[in-house]
Amino acid sequence: MIGDQSGREHYDYLIVGAGFAGSVLAERLASQHDAKVLLIDRRPHIGGNAYDEPNEAGILYHKYGPHIFHTNSDQVVDYLSQFTEWRPYEHRVRAVVRDRLVPIPINRTTLNELFDLDLKTDEDAAAYLASRAEPVADIQTSEDVVVNAVGRELYELFFQGYTRKQWGLDPSELDKSVTSRIPTRTNTDDRYFTDSFQAMPAEGYTRMFERMLDHPNIEVRTGVDFREVRDSVDYGHLIFTGPIDEYFDHRFGKLPYRSLTFDHQTLEQERFQDTGTVNYPAPDVPYTRISEYKHLTGQQAPVTTITYEYPSAEGDPYYPIPRAENQELFKRYEALGDETEGVTFVGRLATYRYYNMDQIVGQALATFRRMDGKREPHNAD
Ligand code: FAD
Ligand code: UDP
């Protein structure tokens, strides 16, 4: 081991956060650059928000809510496939609207079931939606996107209540990118995603992370906050995947992140609901959705585990909140980050981007390519 004068071990990289961003970079730097990496996480486990584990009943569940892997990137699939086999899985979601359980994204079936219609073709559905849509000339907000596509009634039934709960904001106060995640369809495709690759890691996310980090150059310490080690660990370069405003002690003010409380329940029944997730857009229901893991994992068992998601302002930061004023504040932190020598910010919290897992893997791989061959000078004591 290389040590400094005080005998401390030297790491080429200290990586903060063992989620996708931190773990992909740890793996790449260790295996491709032969770099010595110390990877820390303040949680008692690796995997970040994608962490899964078997509960007391033996059901594999996701501690931070349901994570469904989907991507159009061959590069990301090829990369992750080094560490896992896959179980094909296409996610389907229903929404409880007017006491009916109908497909979301809104598709032809949704319209037929909700309004007792008999739309037979894509053209029928397109014409029906066109008759309800309220065109918005300049689409800016998450309200504009939906009202423009399906009109106000469907907007209120499916999006307004859900969004107000999820974000604590009206869709009119959120960037259009938020509800743009959910398409409107005129066919009967009821899959939540249409990406070319949709599958779950066969033995779960945590197992995949374990394989990724199983390298002699990587030391993992969980239950350790950056603050505890920032002055005592000898490292060359820092990769930070936590909230960027926290790194800079909130000097420009707090960046808003939305949180959730998860209520995990194990029920003495084989199945709870017919699809992986059921959404509850009604304003008088306090949770946004219920997910049942056995659909995602294919696990067979006489009992089942479900998770209710209750949005909240307080708690772990899960979602950056996409709106102009937050982006402006983030830009100030980003500029500060760019000026700060020896630190790279990557990941959903550090780059304040509402990214899915595959996008974070792509971001981390791109960050690695930019680091290619570059060895930072070691920090002085
Ligand atoms: P994270 O996974 O958040 O990892 C960051 C890690 O850094 C955390 O473990 C944290 O503890 C650690 N950390 C932060 N600060 C410090 C510090 N100071 N010291 C030490 N450690 C620190 N994506 C999909 O593709 N499909 C889905 O179905 C999906 N569902 C989701 C459902 C929910 C409820 C949520 C919240 C997200 C979902 N996502 C989904 C998004 C996915 O979770 C993220 O894209 C991905 O996990 C981001 O990885 P990351 O490494 O950037 O961040
Ligand atoms: N959304 C909604 N109703 C729904 C599903 C989604 O209003 O039935 C909106 C809501 O604002 C949500 C956003 O679309 O936050 C993105 O939904 P997604 O399912 O992608 O959210 P995530 O899985 O990231 O929490």
Side-chain angles (χ1 to χ4, degrees):
M1 281 302 155
I2 313 161
D4 66 5
Q5 283 169 346
S6 61
R8 291 186 308 178
E9 192 171 332
H10 174 78
Y11 300 93
D12 298 306
Y13 292 90
L14 171 61
I15 303 185
V16 178
F20 271 101
S23 298
V24 168
L25 276 159
E27 187 282 327
R28 286 288 83 185
L29 291 163
S31 70
Q32 304 301 304
H33 289 182
D34 195 26
K36 289 251 173 274
V37 177
L38 175 61
L39 175 64
I40 64 165
D41 203 298
R42 61 184 166 201
R43 290 172 169 164
H45 56 72
I46 58 171
N49 285 339
Y51 176 75
D52 55 14
E53 64 180 359
N55 60 19
E56 280 178 6
I59 305 293
L60 186 67
Y61 81 109
H62 300 178
K63 187 167 185 177
Y64 305 99
H67 278 67
I68 296 107
F69 190 81
H70 56 100
T71 190
N72 286 313
S73 166
D74 291 342
Q75 179 211 198
V76 168
V77 175
D78 291 347
Y79 174 73
L80 293 177
S81 298
Q82 299 175 80
F83 313 106
T84 188
E85 304 281 315
W86 298 97
R87 170 184 185 264
Y89 170 70
E90 292 184 323
H91 196 48
R92 287 181 166 75
V93 180
R94 298 280 182 270
V96 176
V97 171
R98 288 189 179 149
D99 295 328
R100 294 183 191 193
L101 208 48
V102 294
I104 172 89
I106 293 171
N107 67 12
R108 198 160 82 230
T109 313
T110 314
L111 300 174
N112 283 334
E113 291 184 356
L114 198 60
F115 300 119
D116 297 316
L117 298 170
D118 188 23
L119 305 169
K120 289 200 164 51
T121 63
D122 282 22
E123 291 72 29
D124 290 347
Y128 181 78
L129 287 173
S131 74
R132 306 185 64 114
E134 295 172 29
V136 178
D138 180 20
I139 295 174
Q140 294 284 343
T141 72
S142 267
E143 175 184 298
D144 296 342
V145 175
V146 183
V147 169
N148 179 67
V150 300
R152 195 153 291 275
E153 185 181 12
L154 287 163
Y155 160 75
E156 285 173 359
L157 286 174
F158 286 87
F159 289 89
Q160 192 174 40
Y162 188 110
T163 301
R164 284 182 175 172
K165 289 191 287 190
Q166 170 71 12
W167 299 96
L169 292 168
D170 189 79
S172 60
E173 300 171 292
L174 277 170
D175 190 83
K176 63 182 174 193
S177 59
V178 176
T179 52
S180 297
R181 290 166 63 93
I182 315 299
T184 306
R185 303 199 182 117
T186 52
N187 58 20
T188 56
D189 186 349
D190 66 345
R191 296 172 305 161
Y192 206 59
F193 310 109
T194 50
D195 298 34
S196 54
F197 184 86
Q198 306 188 38
M200 300 290 289
E203 295 167 70
Y205 290 98
T206 303
R207 187 76 195 99
M208 178 175 79
F209 279 96
E210 283 168 357
R211 291 212 190 91
M212 220 186 263
L213 299 176
D214 181 16
H215 191 285
N217 286 350
I218 302 176
E219 182 181 330
V220 179
R221 291 190 208 159
T222 54
V224 176
D225 195 293
F226 176 53
R227 273 170 296 207
E228 296 166 42
V229 298
R230 71 188 302 169
D231 298 323
S232 58
V233 167
D234 175 39
Y235 60 89
H237 189 86
L238 178 68
I239 295 175
F240 191 82
T241 77
I244 189 167
D245 58 329
E246 187 185 311
Y247 179 85
F248 290 113
D249 298 322
H250 308 111
R251 76 171 69 165
F252 303 135
K254 277 197 162 189
L255 263 176
Y257 294 90
R258 192 71 174 157
S259 192
L260 292 169
T261 302
F262 303 101
D263 178 14
H264 306 296
Q265 296 190 10
T266 297
L267 309 173
E268 299 290 324
Q269 59 197 71
E270 197 166 348
R271 175 175 277 203
F272 175 74
Q273 59 191 26
D274 287 340
T275 50
T277 295
V278 175
N279 286 358
Y280 292 82
D284 55 339
V285 178
Y287 44 87
T288 50
R289 58 187 178 191
I290 304 177
S291 300
E292 183 175 18
Y293 297 100
K294 282 163 69 183
H295 290 280
L296 281 55
T297 58
Q299 192 173 354
Q300 305 287 325
V303 299
T304 193
T305 298
I306 60 174
T307 296
Y308 293 73
E309 292 177 47
Y310 293 87
S312 77
E314 304 303 320
D316 277 2
Y318 291 127
Y319 292 83
I321 305 180
R323 59 192 310 225
E325 64 200 68
N326 299 349
Q327 196 53 30
E328 263 168 45
L329 181 55
F330 166 67
K331 287 286 168 199
R332 295 182 66 196
Y333 281 112
E334 186 183 43
L336 190 58
D338 289 345
E339 282 165 18
T340 308
E341 288 286 312
V343 191
T344 302
F345 295 91
V346 56
R348 175 153 144 146
L349 303 171
T351 63
Y352 206 67
R353 288 191 171 84
Y354 185 6
Y355 270 1
N356 295 327
M357 293 180 282
D358 64 318
Q359 294 170 298
I360 296 295
V361 174
Q363 187 192 55
L365 292 174
T367 304
F368 169 70
R369 282 194 296 273
R370 285 196 297 275
M371 294 178 140
D372 213 89
K374 196 167 103 187
R375 275 301 183 85
E376 306 295 329
H378 299 158
N379 66 333
D381 252 0

